[in-house]
Amino acid sequence: MKKIVFLMLIFFIIVNVFLLNYIVKAELLSDRIIQRMGIHGNNHIEAFKRIDKINSDLLKGFYKLRNYQPAWCKETRIYQITYDLLTIIKNSYQNGLNPDDYAYTYLYYLIKGLEADINNDKVELDRLLKLELLLTEIYFKFSNDLLYGVSKHKGYDLGYQEIDLPVLLNNALETDNLRETIKNLDPIQPLYARMQLALKRLLKIFNDGGWPLISDKIELKKGVCHQAVLDLRERLLLSGDLKPENNHAGLLFDDKLAEAVALFQLRHGLPASEILDEKTLTALNTSVEERIRQLKINMDRLRWLPQKREDIYIVINIPDFKLEVMKDYSSIFESRVIVGDKNNQSPLFRDEIEYIVINPYWKITDNIAKYEILPKLKNDPAYLDRNKIKILESWHNDSKIVLPESIEWHNISPEKFTYKLRQEPGIFNSLGQIKFIFPNSYQVYLHDTPYKYLFNYPDRAKSHGCIRVEKPFSLASCLLGKDWDEEEVAEIIRLNKRKVINLKEKIPIYLVYLTSWVDENGIIQHRDDVYNLDQELYEKLKI
């Protein structure tokens, strides 16, 4: 009996020693977290070289929320949620991101090493702490990149909703739904999901060897029979422009192949001529690797946009020279537009249209007045009168009109030109007969134009930054609905009166820059990089 009691006593001592050792270790890990968060005077958080340093306040807020308890591991085990995050980072290429930007390789081997240490009961507390903090940093960086883009653009800041990432992560850990939580950070536009599918298709083509180059030594056109036609067929089959059921003429450039060439041209913003001109050949011979890169760049641009569900809004895609009114993420109206030229680029931002002006004045900007109009009126004194432009002392409402003949123009240089120029309303006005105002620091707006012929140009980057709309009155009718009285507007225009129409509800407007996207039919679209912004963004993303 004494022997049994003695053995039981030894057993309880061993168990208590083990439990005490475990508790001390758990306390030590929490203690290390507290020290690293600066609670005991150390206000430095290690910035791992493999990922960008993020705001330490996020880490401090997260661990304070958890009472400084570890989230991803403990002394005897690495939690399943760690492996979930590792898988999410591994698959981040599906979002057009680079897994190693989030320390994937380093993280993989760190976890493997710690698994072995735990199994051999040789785990080092500092290595566990490194894993714990690294995983939290990675989560915040990855979440920020999904929410706002790797190369976040400040033009859309005003539309962002505040998201408490520490609370979001803590809830995901407590409810064991990290995958769903991160998935919900993807852009809400259906366009993003279509771009993900397109990226998957392009990656498969790349992994299978890409598509062939089309020779420029042979003039390929309808009726030609040549070996090079086979390369053209394969190229258009891979990109989906030529359907398999229409690929039956071998070496002959037949009608179906010509139709496929026209489809390819249309989705690259080129005239559907069915002729392999220089621009078409350049687009055909752009590698699949470059198209993948282009799609990734534009997926990041899509992440710039706020996560807001808006019933109706306007989107202007600058490289496509197109305006669309969107309702429930589907286009209900579209119009060709003219955007800023390379020297006067239309800005990228979100705002809200507040009112519409019929028969607007054109308050000519100082740069245009000084450097474009001043030289003209010096050579042609009748220029102002012929173009119905008045001279004002200032933009104040009570500003006096200055007579042109009272100014000694030969003594006026751009630096000394302090007057303001205003073009009166009328069919001759450079803003046309209607403009749409969304007050902004860029001083841009939508407007009509008397120069309608410009909308027939394929390259419509020709303005000083504002957006000229081909069908402005139809746009106004679409936005105002029953509040738009065509007869009343026609009478206002006939009488050359100025009228302001306030919108009952502000309409969001987005000026975006997508050189590659996927339309509602699942077709990949490409456009020229009119402002040469793709390379700049590529260098930031390093994808």
Short mmCIF file of all heavy atoms in Angstrom, two decimals, residues 99-145:
data_model
loop_
_atom_site.label_atom_id
_atom_site.label_comp_id
_atom_site.label_asym_id
_atom_site.label_seq_id
_atom_site.Cartn_x
_atom_site.Cartn_y
_atom_site.Cartn_z
N PRO A 99 3.82 35.85 -53.87
CA PRO A 99 3.84 35.26 -52.52
C PRO A 99 5.07 35.64 -51.70
O PRO A 99 4.98 35.82 -50.48
CB PRO A 99 3.80 33.75 -52.80
CG PRO A 99 3.10 33.63 -54.12
CD PRO A 99 3.54 34.84 -54.91
N ASP A 100 6.23 35.80 -52.36
CA ASP A 100 7.43 36.12 -51.60
C ASP A 100 7.48 37.57 -51.16
O ASP A 100 8.35 37.94 -50.36
CB ASP A 100 8.68 35.75 -52.40
CG ASP A 100 9.00 34.25 -52.28
OD1 ASP A 100 8.67 33.67 -51.23
OD2 ASP A 100 9.56 33.68 -53.22
N ASP A 101 6.56 38.42 -51.65
CA ASP A 101 6.43 39.76 -51.08
C ASP A 101 5.87 39.69 -49.67
O ASP A 101 5.89 40.67 -48.92
CB ASP A 101 5.51 40.63 -51.95
CG ASP A 101 6.22 41.13 -53.20
OD1 ASP A 101 7.46 41.02 -53.26
OD2 ASP A 101 5.53 41.61 -54.12
N TYR A 102 5.32 38.53 -49.32
CA TYR A 102 4.75 38.29 -48.00
C TYR A 102 5.52 37.19 -47.28
O TYR A 102 4.97 36.46 -46.45
CB TYR A 102 3.26 37.94 -48.13
CG TYR A 102 2.52 38.97 -48.95
CD1 TYR A 102 2.29 38.74 -50.31
CD2 TYR A 102 2.13 40.18 -48.41
CE1 TYR A 102 1.66 39.69 -51.09
CE2 TYR A 102 1.50 41.14 -49.18
CZ TYR A 102 1.28 40.89 -50.53
OH TYR A 102 0.67 41.85 -51.31
N ALA A 103 6.82 37.10 -47.62
CA ALA A 103 7.77 36.22 -46.92
C ALA A 103 7.37 34.74 -46.98
O ALA A 103 7.66 33.99 -46.06
CB ALA A 103 7.93 36.67 -45.46
N TYR A 104 6.73 34.31 -48.09
CA TYR A 104 6.22 32.94 -48.13
C TYR A 104 7.33 31.90 -47.94
O TYR A 104 7.21 31.00 -47.10
CB TYR A 104 5.48 32.67 -49.45
CG TYR A 104 5.11 31.20 -49.59
CD1 TYR A 104 4.06 30.67 -48.85
CD2 TYR A 104 5.85 30.36 -50.40
CE1 TYR A 104 3.74 29.33 -48.92
CE2 TYR A 104 5.53 29.00 -50.49
CZ TYR A 104 4.48 28.50 -49.75
OH TYR A 104 4.19 27.17 -49.83
N THR A 105 8.41 31.99 -48.71
CA THR A 105 9.46 30.98 -48.64
C THR A 105 10.10 30.96 -47.26
O THR A 105 10.30 29.89 -46.65
CB THR A 105 10.53 31.24 -49.72
OG1 THR A 105 9.90 31.23 -51.01
CG2 THR A 105 11.61 30.17 -49.69
N TYR A 106 10.43 32.14 -46.77
CA TYR A 106 11.02 32.22 -45.43
C TYR A 106 10.06 31.66 -44.38
O TYR A 106 10.48 30.88 -43.49
CB TYR A 106 11.34 33.68 -45.11
CG TYR A 106 11.85 33.90 -43.71
CD1 TYR A 106 13.17 33.62 -43.38
CD2 TYR A 106 11.01 34.38 -42.71
CE1 TYR A 106 13.64 33.82 -42.08
CE2 TYR A 106 11.46 34.58 -41.43
CZ TYR A 106 12.78 34.30 -41.11
OH TYR A 106 13.23 34.49 -39.83
N LEU A 107 8.81 32.02 -44.49
CA LEU A 107 7.80 31.56 -43.54
C LEU A 107 7.65 30.04 -43.58
O LEU A 107 7.56 29.38 -42.53
CB LEU A 107 6.46 32.23 -43.88
CG LEU A 107 5.29 32.03 -42.92
CD1 LEU A 107 5.63 32.56 -41.54
CD2 LEU A 107 4.05 32.74 -43.47
N TYR A 108 7.66 29.47 -44.78
CA TYR A 108 7.51 28.02 -44.95
C TYR A 108 8.60 27.27 -44.18
O TYR A 108 8.33 26.33 -43.42
CB TYR A 108 7.54 27.68 -46.43
CG TYR A 108 7.51 26.19 -46.73
CD1 TYR A 108 6.30 25.51 -46.80
CD2 TYR A 108 8.70 25.49 -46.92
CE1 TYR A 108 6.27 24.15 -47.06
CE2 TYR A 108 8.67 24.13 -47.19
CZ TYR A 108 7.46 23.45 -47.27
OH TYR A 108 7.44 22.11 -47.52
N TYR A 109 9.84 27.69 -44.38
CA TYR A 109 10.96 26.99 -43.73
C TYR A 109 11.04 27.28 -42.24
O TYR A 109 11.46 26.42 -41.45
CB TYR A 109 12.27 27.33 -44.43
CG TYR A 109 12.40 26.66 -45.77
CD1 TYR A 109 12.29 27.39 -46.95
CD2 TYR A 109 12.58 25.28 -45.85
CE1 TYR A 109 12.37 26.76 -48.19
CE2 TYR A 109 12.67 24.64 -47.09
CZ TYR A 109 12.56 25.38 -48.26
OH TYR A 109 12.63 24.74 -49.47
N LEU A 110 10.62 28.46 -41.82
CA LEU A 110 10.57 28.77 -40.40
C LEU A 110 9.58 27.85 -39.69
O LEU A 110 9.88 27.30 -38.61
CB LEU A 110 10.18 30.23 -40.20
CG LEU A 110 10.01 30.71 -38.75
CD1 LEU A 110 11.32 30.54 -37.97
CD2 LEU A 110 9.55 32.17 -38.70
N ILE A 111 8.42 27.65 -40.30
CA ILE A 111 7.40 26.77 -39.70
C ILE A 111 7.90 25.34 -39.66
O ILE A 111 7.73 24.64 -38.66
CB ILE A 111 6.08 26.88 -40.48
CG1 ILE A 111 5.45 28.26 -40.25
CG2 ILE A 111 5.11 25.78 -40.07
CD1 ILE A 111 4.25 28.55 -41.12
N LYS A 112 8.50 24.87 -40.75
CA LYS A 112 9.02 23.50 -40.79
C LYS A 112 10.06 23.29 -39.69
O LYS A 112 10.07 22.25 -39.01
CB LYS A 112 9.65 23.21 -42.15
CG LYS A 112 8.65 23.03 -43.28
CD LYS A 112 7.79 21.80 -43.04
CE LYS A 112 6.80 21.60 -44.18
NZ LYS A 112 5.88 20.47 -43.93
N GLY A 113 10.94 24.26 -39.49
CA GLY A 113 11.96 24.15 -38.45
C GLY A 113 11.35 24.12 -37.06
O GLY A 113 11.77 23.33 -36.20
N LEU A 114 10.34 24.96 -36.83
CA LEU A 114 9.69 24.99 -35.52
C LEU A 114 8.90 23.72 -35.26
O LEU A 114 8.82 23.26 -34.11
CB LEU A 114 8.78 26.22 -35.43
CG LEU A 114 9.51 27.55 -35.18
CD1 LEU A 114 8.57 28.72 -35.36
CD2 LEU A 114 10.12 27.57 -33.77
N GLU A 115 8.30 23.15 -36.30
CA GLU A 115 7.61 21.87 -36.14
C GLU A 115 8.57 20.81 -35.61
O GLU A 115 8.25 20.05 -34.69
CB GLU A 115 7.02 21.41 -37.47
CG GLU A 115 5.80 22.18 -37.91
CD GLU A 115 5.34 21.80 -39.31
OE1 GLU A 115 6.15 21.22 -40.07
OE2 GLU A 115 4.18 22.08 -39.64
N ALA A 116 9.76 20.77 -36.20
CA ALA A 116 10.77 19.79 -35.76
C ALA A 116 11.21 20.08 -34.33
O ALA A 116 11.36 19.15 -33.51
CB ALA A 116 11.97 19.83 -36.70
N ASP A 117 11.40 21.35 -34.00
CA ASP A 117 11.81 21.71 -32.64
C ASP A 117 10.76 21.30 -31.61
O ASP A 117 11.09 20.80 -30.53
CB ASP A 117 12.07 23.22 -32.55
CG ASP A 117 13.30 23.65 -33.32
OD1 ASP A 117 14.10 22.76 -33.70
OD2 ASP A 117 13.45 24.86 -33.56
N ILE A 118 9.49 21.54 -31.96
CA ILE A 118 8.40 21.20 -31.04
C ILE A 118 8.34 19.69 -30.83
O ILE A 118 8.18 19.19 -29.70
CB ILE A 118 7.06 21.75 -31.56
CG1 ILE A 118 7.04 23.27 -31.42
CG2 ILE A 118 5.88 21.14 -30.81
CD1 ILE A 118 5.85 23.94 -32.10
N ASN A 119 8.50 18.94 -31.92
CA ASN A 119 8.46 17.47 -31.82
C ASN A 119 9.61 16.94 -30.97
O ASN A 119 9.48 15.90 -30.30
CB ASN A 119 8.52 16.84 -33.21
CG ASN A 119 7.23 17.05 -33.98
OD1 ASN A 119 6.17 17.23 -33.38
ND2 ASN A 119 7.31 17.03 -35.31
N ASN A 120 10.74 17.64 -30.98
CA ASN A 120 11.90 17.21 -30.20
C ASN A 120 12.00 17.93 -28.85
O ASN A 120 13.01 17.77 -28.15
CB ASN A 120 13.19 17.46 -31.00
CG ASN A 120 13.25 16.62 -32.25
OD1 ASN A 120 12.84 15.45 -32.24
ND2 ASN A 120 13.75 17.18 -33.34
N ASP A 121 10.95 18.69 -28.55
CA ASP A 121 10.91 19.44 -27.29
C ASP A 121 12.13 20.34 -27.12
O ASP A 121 12.69 20.45 -26.03
CB ASP A 121 10.80 18.47 -26.10
CG ASP A 121 10.31 19.19 -24.84
OD1 ASP A 121 9.63 20.23 -24.99
OD2 ASP A 121 10.63 18.73 -23.73
N LYS A 122 12.55 20.99 -28.23
CA LYS A 122 13.71 21.87 -28.19
C LYS A 122 13.36 23.27 -28.71
O LYS A 122 14.21 24.00 -29.22
CB LYS A 122 14.84 21.29 -29.05
CG LYS A 122 15.41 19.99 -28.51
CD LYS A 122 16.54 19.50 -29.40
CE LYS A 122 17.12 18.20 -28.86
NZ LYS A 122 18.22 17.69 -29.75
N VAL A 123 12.11 23.64 -28.62
CA VAL A 123 11.68 24.90 -29.19
C VAL A 123 12.29 26.09 -28.45
O VAL A 123 12.42 26.07 -27.23
CB VAL A 123 10.13 25.00 -29.18
CG1 VAL A 123 9.60 25.05 -27.76
CG2 VAL A 123 9.67 26.22 -29.96
N GLU A 124 12.73 27.10 -29.21
CA GLU A 124 13.28 28.31 -28.64
C GLU A 124 12.20 29.40 -28.64
O GLU A 124 11.55 29.64 -29.65
CB GLU A 124 14.48 28.79 -29.46
CG GLU A 124 15.65 27.84 -29.44
CD GLU A 124 16.79 28.33 -30.31
OE1 GLU A 124 16.73 29.51 -30.73
OE2 GLU A 124 17.72 27.54 -30.57
N LEU A 125 12.08 30.05 -27.51
CA LEU A 125 11.02 31.05 -27.35
C LEU A 125 11.18 32.20 -28.34
O LEU A 125 10.19 32.71 -28.89
CB LEU A 125 11.05 31.58 -25.92
CG LEU A 125 9.72 32.10 -25.36
CD1 LEU A 125 8.67 31.03 -25.38
CD2 LEU A 125 9.92 32.64 -23.95
N ASP A 126 12.41 32.61 -28.62
CA ASP A 126 12.63 33.72 -29.55
C ASP A 126 12.19 33.37 -30.97
O ASP A 126 11.70 34.22 -31.71
CB ASP A 126 14.10 34.12 -29.55
CG ASP A 126 14.47 34.94 -28.32
OD1 ASP A 126 13.54 35.45 -27.67
OD2 ASP A 126 15.67 35.04 -28.01
N ARG A 127 12.38 32.11 -31.38
CA ARG A 127 11.94 31.69 -32.71
C ARG A 127 10.41 31.64 -32.79
O ARG A 127 9.81 32.00 -33.81
CB ARG A 127 12.54 30.33 -33.07
CG ARG A 127 13.98 30.46 -33.55
CD ARG A 127 14.70 29.13 -33.61
NE ARG A 127 14.05 28.15 -34.46
CZ ARG A 127 14.12 28.13 -35.80
NH1 ARG A 127 14.81 29.08 -36.43
NH2 ARG A 127 13.52 27.19 -36.49
N LEU A 128 9.78 31.22 -31.71
CA LEU A 128 8.31 31.24 -31.66
C LEU A 128 7.79 32.68 -31.74
O LEU A 128 6.82 32.96 -32.43
CB LEU A 128 7.80 30.58 -30.38
CG LEU A 128 7.64 29.06 -30.38
CD1 LEU A 128 7.19 28.60 -29.01
CD2 LEU A 128 6.64 28.61 -31.44
N LEU A 129 8.46 33.57 -31.02
CA LEU A 129 8.06 34.97 -31.03
C LEU A 129 8.22 35.55 -32.43
O LEU A 129 7.37 36.32 -32.90
CB LEU A 129 8.91 35.76 -30.03
CG LEU A 129 8.56 37.24 -29.90
CD1 LEU A 129 7.18 37.44 -29.32
CD2 LEU A 129 9.61 37.96 -29.05
N LYS A 130 9.31 35.18 -33.11
CA LYS A 130 9.53 35.67 -34.47
C LYS A 130 8.40 35.21 -35.38
O LYS A 130 7.87 36.00 -36.18
CB LYS A 130 10.87 35.16 -35.00
CG LYS A 130 11.16 35.60 -36.42
CD LYS A 130 12.55 35.20 -36.86
CE LYS A 130 13.58 36.12 -36.24
NZ LYS A 130 14.93 35.95 -36.84
N LEU A 131 8.02 33.94 -35.28
CA LEU A 131 6.91 33.44 -36.09
C LEU A 131 5.61 34.17 -35.76
O LEU A 131 4.87 34.60 -36.67
CB LEU A 131 6.72 31.93 -35.86
CG LEU A 131 5.52 31.30 -36.57
CD1 LEU A 131 5.70 31.35 -38.09
CD2 LEU A 131 5.29 29.87 -36.10
N GLU A 132 5.33 34.34 -34.50
CA GLU A 132 4.09 34.98 -34.05
C GLU A 132 3.97 36.40 -34.63
O GLU A 132 2.94 36.75 -35.23
CB GLU A 132 4.09 35.03 -32.52
CG GLU A 132 2.95 35.85 -31.90
CD GLU A 132 1.59 35.20 -32.06
OE1 GLU A 132 1.53 33.96 -32.17
OE2 GLU A 132 0.59 35.94 -32.09
N LEU A 133 5.00 37.20 -34.46
CA LEU A 133 4.92 38.59 -34.92
C LEU A 133 4.99 38.69 -36.43
O LEU A 133 4.33 39.56 -37.03
CB LEU A 133 6.03 39.41 -34.28
CG LEU A 133 5.98 39.53 -32.75
CD1 LEU A 133 7.09 40.45 -32.25
CD2 LEU A 133 4.64 40.04 -32.26
N LEU A 134 5.77 37.81 -37.05
CA LEU A 134 5.87 37.82 -38.51
C LEU A 134 4.52 37.52 -39.14
O LEU A 134 4.10 38.18 -40.09
CB LEU A 134 6.92 36.81 -38.98
CG LEU A 134 7.07 36.65 -40.49
CD1 LEU A 134 7.45 37.98 -41.13
CD2 LEU A 134 8.11 35.59 -40.82
N LEU A 135 3.81 36.53 -38.62
CA LEU A 135 2.49 36.18 -39.15
C LEU A 135 1.51 37.34 -39.02
O LEU A 135 0.72 37.61 -39.93
CB LEU A 135 1.94 34.94 -38.44
CG LEU A 135 2.62 33.61 -38.80
CD1 LEU A 135 2.20 32.52 -37.82
CD2 LEU A 135 2.26 33.19 -40.21
N THR A 136 1.57 38.04 -37.91
CA THR A 136 0.66 39.17 -37.71
C THR A 136 1.00 40.31 -38.66
O THR A 136 0.11 40.93 -39.26
CB THR A 136 0.73 39.66 -36.25
OG1 THR A 136 0.51 38.55 -35.37
CG2 THR A 136 -0.34 40.70 -35.98
N GLU A 137 2.30 40.59 -38.82
CA GLU A 137 2.72 41.63 -39.77
C GLU A 137 2.27 41.27 -41.19
O GLU A 137 1.79 42.14 -41.93
CB GLU A 137 4.24 41.80 -39.74
CG GLU A 137 4.74 42.60 -38.56
CD GLU A 137 6.15 43.10 -38.80
OE1 GLU A 137 6.37 43.78 -39.82
OE2 GLU A 137 7.02 42.81 -37.97
N ILE A 138 2.46 40.02 -41.56
CA ILE A 138 2.08 39.57 -42.90
C ILE A 138 0.58 39.74 -43.11
O ILE A 138 0.14 40.20 -44.16
CB ILE A 138 2.49 38.10 -43.11
CG1 ILE A 138 4.00 38.00 -43.29
CG2 ILE A 138 1.79 37.50 -44.34
CD1 ILE A 138 4.52 36.59 -43.31
N TYR A 139 -0.20 39.37 -42.12
CA TYR A 139 -1.65 39.51 -42.25
C TYR A 139 -2.02 40.96 -42.52
O TYR A 139 -2.82 41.25 -43.41
CB TYR A 139 -2.37 39.01 -40.99
CG TYR A 139 -3.81 39.46 -40.95
CD1 TYR A 139 -4.80 38.78 -41.65
CD2 TYR A 139 -4.18 40.62 -40.25
CE1 TYR A 139 -6.12 39.22 -41.66
CE2 TYR A 139 -5.49 41.06 -40.25
CZ TYR A 139 -6.46 40.37 -40.95
OH TYR A 139 -7.74 40.82 -40.96
N PHE A 140 -1.45 41.90 -41.75
CA PHE A 140 -1.81 43.30 -41.92
C PHE A 140 -1.33 43.84 -43.27
O PHE A 140 -2.06 44.60 -43.92
CB PHE A 140 -1.24 44.14 -40.77
CG PHE A 140 -1.99 43.97 -39.47
CD1 PHE A 140 -1.31 43.73 -38.29
CD2 PHE A 140 -3.37 44.02 -39.44
CE1 PHE A 140 -1.99 43.57 -37.08
CE2 PHE A 140 -4.06 43.85 -38.26
CZ PHE A 140 -3.37 43.62 -37.08
N LYS A 141 -0.14 43.47 -43.69
CA LYS A 141 0.34 43.94 -44.99
C LYS A 141 -0.52 43.39 -46.12
O LYS A 141 -0.94 44.12 -47.01
CB LYS A 141 1.80 43.55 -45.21
CG LYS A 141 2.27 43.89 -46.62
CD LYS A 141 3.74 43.71 -46.83
CE LYS A 141 4.12 43.83 -48.29
NZ LYS A 141 3.59 45.04 -48.95
N PHE A 142 -0.80 42.10 -46.06
CA PHE A 142 -1.60 41.46 -47.11
C PHE A 142 -3.01 42.06 -47.15
O PHE A 142 -3.55 42.36 -48.23
CB PHE A 142 -1.67 39.95 -46.87
CG PHE A 142 -2.30 39.17 -47.99
CD1 PHE A 142 -1.79 39.23 -49.27
CD2 PHE A 142 -3.40 38.37 -47.75
CE1 PHE A 142 -2.36 38.51 -50.31
CE2 PHE A 142 -3.99 37.64 -48.78
CZ PHE A 142 -3.47 37.71 -50.06
N SER A 143 -3.60 42.27 -45.99
CA SER A 143 -4.95 42.85 -45.91
C SER A 143 -4.97 44.27 -46.46
O SER A 143 -5.89 44.65 -47.20
CB SER A 143 -5.45 42.84 -44.46
OG SER A 143 -5.56 41.51 -43.98
N ASN A 144 -3.96 45.07 -46.10
CA ASN A 144 -3.88 46.44 -46.62
C ASN A 144 -3.74 46.44 -48.14
O ASN A 144 -4.35 47.27 -48.83
CB ASN A 144 -2.69 47.17 -45.98
CG ASN A 144 -3.09 47.93 -44.73
OD1 ASN A 144 -3.87 48.87 -44.79
ND2 ASN A 144 -2.57 47.52 -43.60
N ASP A 145 -2.92 45.52 -48.67
CA ASP A 145 -2.72 45.45 -50.12
C ASP A 145 -4.00 45.07 -50.85
O ASP A 145 -4.29 45.58 -51.93
CB ASP A 145 -1.61 44.46 -50.45
CG ASP A 145 -0.23 44.99 -50.07
OD1 ASP A 145 -0.14 46.18 -49.71
OD2 ASP A 145 0.74 44.22 -50.13
#
